[in-house]
Amino acid sequence: MLTPLKAKSEGKLAKQICRVVLDHFDKQYSKELGDSWNTVRNVLISPSLWQYAILFNRFNYPFELEKDLLLKGYHTLFQGSLPSYPTSVKCYLSRTPNRMPSERHQLGHLKKYYLLNAASLFPVLALELRHGESVLDLCAAPGGKSVALLQCACPGYLHCNEYDSLRVRWLRKTLESFIPPPLINVIKVSELDGREMGDAQPETFDKVLVDAPCSNDRSWLFSSDSEKAAHRIHQRNNLPVLQVELLRSAIRALRPGGLLVYSTCTLSKAENQCVISEILNSSSNMAPVDISGITRTCSQDFTFFPTDQECSLLVIPDKAKAWGPMYIPYWCTTFII
């Protein structure tokens, strides 16, 4: 029997969940994920189980906070599990659900940490950014992955693009909050249709990240407007078309021999494996890289669902490993011509 306090909390949570979306996900993901959907579902509809990783800002390093987190039992992510993990990247997490308070944006003051879903670091690390390289973050808002990229190395040029004007303002504020003025000078923020970027800047970038618009499963489940949610579901079939077009544009913007990483925060097979299969089947100059070993080395902190693609990972939320959803083809490379 629930206590009055817990019952009140559960009742409030139940009102927040959008039944239209949940019913749709139940129908789709019970087929695509099988028995795993029950656990994933329980985590997604229970924010009290969600976890938040703490990515330190190397440009205003929080030494005192680091000491405090270690005393509280936090540990660093990917410690010793990824050979190419940059030493400049420090991301802490706890095995228990909790959330640090977010820092407020203050003009002229750099924030010390960024809260994120730990799985969102996979696509950033996949790029293996090196100092001086040119990078395109094609769908950059709200800016978390751009900030994470700059924790890895100092690019010669970072182009952060976002098509939505409201999200562009969010992106600019994020960059101003974490990146010092000297480095801001190598960053360009644009408001272009990502599908046109490849023609506007052909063969320009060493590395390209396409963190594509998708069925953001976590946020969709808590849609406050049922009519808008139903419309989103109706329009959902259009997303793979957009994602393929964005990827083809990204390929055109990539230099021969460059690296391209695609990512989504949805479990949808149509937006994940099917999109990548279409790209690989239609692009003769693209090659996947086998990264199946990642699932073994990172299983302590993440739960992976088999994708039947050696070049991709699907992180699914689990108890005490509530990270994801996050799909990452790790990674597509263009042949040097």
Side-chain angles (χ1 to χ4, degrees):
M1 182 176 180
L2 296 175
T3 64
L5 181 61
K6 189 173 182 182
K8 183 178 179 180
S9 174
E10 292 286 347
K12 183 178 180 182
L13 178 60
K15 291 180 182 178
Q16 292 176 335
I17 295 171
C18 182
R19 194 74 224 182
V20 173
V21 175
L22 183 58
D23 289 345
H24 178 75
F25 284 177
D26 280 338
K27 184 177 180 180
Q28 177 180 351
Y29 293 147
S30 60
K31 293 179 181 178
E32 295 185 6
L33 301 180
D35 293 339
S36 295
W37 170 238
N38 292 327
T39 301
V40 173
R41 182 187 194 273
N42 185 51
V43 174
L44 289 180
I45 66 174
S46 306
S48 61
L49 299 178
W50 295 3
Q51 295 166 275
Y52 297 86
I54 305 169
L55 177 66
F56 283 4
N57 185 11
R58 68 187 178 110
F59 304 111
N60 189 18
Y61 200 86
F63 292 99
E64 292 303 317
L65 175 60
E66 185 172 38
K67 293 177 183 178
D68 186 49
L69 293 180
L70 290 172
L71 288 173
K72 291 179 178 178
Y74 281 72
H75 66 281
T76 53
L77 189 61
F78 301 121
Q79 191 170 25
S81 59
L82 293 178
S84 59
Y85 188 76
T87 57
S88 58
V89 177
K90 286 292 183 70
C91 186
Y92 282 88
L93 55 87
S94 171
R95 301 203 187 282
T96 57
N98 50 49
R99 175 174 178 152
M100 287 277 294
S102 298
E103 294 181 287
R104 291 183 178 181
H105 173 73
Q106 298 180 44
L107 190 63
H109 175 75
L110 296 182
K111 293 183 179 181
K112 295 182 178 180
Y113 59 87
Y114 187 91
L115 300 180
L116 75 167
N117 186 317
S120 64
L121 282 180
F122 274 113
V124 172
L125 297 172
L127 283 174
E128 295 188 341
L129 181 62
R130 296 181 177 87
H131 294 299
E133 290 183 321
S134 58
V135 190
L136 169 63
D137 190 349
L138 189 62
C139 311
K145 290 183 177 64
S146 293
V147 168
L149 280 168
L150 291 164
Q151 306 306 311
C152 299
C154 292
Y157 175 55
L158 172 59
H159 190 145
C160 300
N161 181 69
E162 176 56 49
Y163 184 54
D164 185 280
S165 58
L166 291 176
R167 289 170 62 83
V168 166
R169 289 201 288 271
W170 190 2
L171 170 62
R172 290 184 186 276
K173 183 178 288 188
T174 299
L175 293 172
E176 290 170 1
S177 295
F178 287 91
I179 311 305
L183 194 52
I184 284 288
N185 294 332
V186 304
I187 302 173
K188 177 181 179 179
V189 177
S190 64
E191 192 176 333
L192 303 174
D193 186 331
R195 293 170 292 185
E196 300 173 359
M197 184 66 74
D199 293 329
Q201 298 197 47
E203 297 188 359
T204 300
F205 301 96
D206 300 304
K207 308 285 173 70
V208 177
L209 173 62
V210 183
D211 187 37
C214 67
S215 306
N216 187 325
D217 295 348
R218 284 190 190 241
S219 65
W220 278 30
L221 274 170
F222 292 88
S223 302
S224 57
D225 189 321
S226 295
E227 289 187 9
K228 287 184 178 179
H231 180 70
R232 275 181 175 176
I233 291 171
H234 180 70
Q235 295 293 319
R236 197 181 189 197
N237 291 336
N238 296 331
L239 282 170
V241 176
L242 171 62
Q243 291 156 349
V244 167
E245 290 175 345
L246 287 170
L247 274 171
R248 286 179 174 154
S249 175
I251 292 169
R252 294 194 298 273
L254 193 64
R255 288 175 179 166
L259 294 177
L260 169 65
V261 174
Y262 172 76
S263 63
T264 73
C265 52
T266 179
L267 299 162
S268 173
K269 188 174 182 179
E271 298 176 50
N272 294 337
Q273 296 97 308
C274 294
V275 167
I276 292 305
S277 293
E278 180 168 344
I279 289 295
L280 293 178
N281 290 336
S282 61
S283 302
S284 59
N285 64 332
M286 300 299 294
V289 175
D290 181 2
I291 43 77
S292 55
I294 296 290
T295 59
R296 294 188 297 273
T297 58
C298 297
S299 59
Q300 181 178 354
D301 290 314
F302 299 93
T303 297
F304 300 95
F305 187 82
T307 64
D308 298 324
Q309 292 176 323
E310 292 181 340
C311 67
S312 67
L313 303 174
L314 178 60
V315 181
I316 60 173
D318 199 354
K319 293 179 180 177
K321 300 179 185 179
W323 314 112
M326 182 62 60
Y327 173 77
I328 320 102
Y330 231 100
W331 38 84
C332 300
T333 68
T334 60
F335 292 123
I336 299 177
I337 300 173

